[in-house]
Structures are given as C-alpha cells and as structure tokens.
C-alpha cells in the first residue's frame, strides 16, 4: 500500500505542477492531495501541523490566484470589461493558442475588453493588459512555488538520506 500511495503522491504532485500553468487543472489542490497521500504512508514524517500549514498555503494561493487578475486589472485602471476580457483570454489562449496563449491570453483579453469598453484610450488598454499579465505571472509563480515545495517535501519524506536535511527546511 505504501508503494501505491507514494507513486500516487508523485503523480499528483507532478500533475499539480503542470496544473499551475494549465488553467483547467487545479494544480495546488492536486499537490496538496499528493501531500496527503504521502502523509498516509507508514514511513511518513509529515506532521499534522505541517499539513495544516500547507493547507493554509494552498487556500491562500488559490484565493489569490482567483482574485488577483481582477484586482490587478482594476489596480492598473481597468474596467469590469477588462477584467472579464482577461479571464476569457486565459481560457481562449489555452484552447486556441497553447502554450503561448496561456501566457499572452490574459494580456490580449484585457486589452480587447478595455478597447470594447473605451475605443479612444489604447494606451490605457495596454496598461491594463500589462496589469493582467503581471497578475497572471504573480499568481502562477506563487502556485509553482507552493507546488514545487510540496513535491520537495514529498521527496524528502520518501527518500531516507535526504529526509533529515530537507525536513528541517520544509
């Protein structure tokens, strides 16, 4: 059973890292599920306090990723149309122009949304698009950091020699 849980933990963690970039996969949640799989092995050194801390990080990063694009779009002077455009751009970019569309979709979506809202201010639309892109980059970066740290923690738990050293770090 330990081997199955360990393999499942690694698969979920790797899919979780991929899910940080692919918007339809809940990456951080899958990485946390991987941590839970590792926790339930017989050799686990992961404490329940560590599980609660990683759960808090998972919730915080997921919430930030959900609210950050609209907040940053508005912070850079965007309207509701720009925020909606950025959201549509993420999904359209993923399905139509992957992999580059995943990165550029929020930018172009926010710019198009702002131009539909106010055609006379192209400079503002570009600024809002940059804010949307920045929000995507920060959100994705935060998710990647959490998912990679969880993978490292799982590796530390499953590899005995590195476990003592990595357990103190993570």
């Amino acid at each position: 059973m330990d081997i199955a849980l360990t393999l499942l933990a690694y698969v979920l963690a790797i899919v979780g890292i991929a899910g940080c970039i692919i918007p339809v996969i809940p990456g951080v949640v899958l990485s946390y599920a991987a941590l839970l799989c590792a926790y339930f092995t017989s050799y686990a050194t992961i404490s329940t306090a560590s599980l609660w801390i990683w759960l808090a990080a998972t919730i915080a990063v997921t919430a930030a990723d959900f609210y950050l694009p609209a907040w940053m779009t508005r912070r850079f002077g965007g309207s509701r149309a720009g925020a909606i455009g950025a959201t549509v751009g993420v999904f359209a970019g993923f399905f139509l122009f992957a992999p580059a569309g995943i990165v550029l979709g929020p930018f172009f979506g926010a710019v198009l949304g702002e131009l539909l809202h106010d055609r006379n201010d192209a400079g503002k639309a570009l600024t809002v698009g940059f804010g949307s892109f920045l929000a995507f980059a920060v959100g994705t970066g935060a998710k990647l950091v959490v998912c990679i740290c969880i993978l490292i923690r799982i590796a530390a738990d499953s590899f005995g020699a590195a476990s003592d050293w990595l357990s103190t770090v993570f």
Side-chain angles (χ1 to χ4, degrees), residues 103-161:
V103 176
L104 298 175
F107 172 79
F108 288 118
V111 170
L112 288 174
E114 282 300 316
L115 288 175
L116 289 173
H117 178 70
D118 182 13
R119 292 181 185 186
N120 297 326
D121 201 356
K124 178 183 171 189
L126 288 173
T127 302
V128 171
F130 175 73
S132 176
F133 171 75
L134 188 62
F136 174 79
V138 168
T140 301
K143 290 188 303 184
L144 278 171
V145 165
V146 169
C147 288
I148 290 171
C149 287
I150 287 175
L151 177 63
I152 290 171
R153 182 62 182 103
I154 292 167
D157 202 45
S158 51
F159 294 112

Side-chain angles (χ1 to χ4, degrees), residues 7-103:
L7 289 175
L8 183 61
Y10 279 107
V11 168
L12 287 173
I14 291 169
V15 172
I17 290 171
C20 292
I21 299 166
I22 302 169
V24 294
I25 299 173
V28 185
V29 174
L30 289 177
S31 288
Y32 186 75
L35 188 66
L36 286 175
C37 287
Y39 174 76
F40 288 115
T41 59
S42 64
Y43 58 81
T45 60
I46 301 169
S47 67
T48 54
S50 180
L51 284 178
W52 284 108
I53 291 169
W54 284 114
L55 179 63
T58 298
I59 291 170
V61 169
T62 302
D65 189 51
F66 182 73
Y67 291 110
L68 196 60
W71 183 77
M72 288 288 276
T73 300
R74 299 259 180 154
R75 181 91 172 147
F76 277 75
S79 65
R80 187 170 191 266
I84 291 171
T87 304
V88 170
V90 168
F91 291 103
F94 173 71
F95 288 113
L96 299 177
F97 306 108
I102 296 169
V103 176

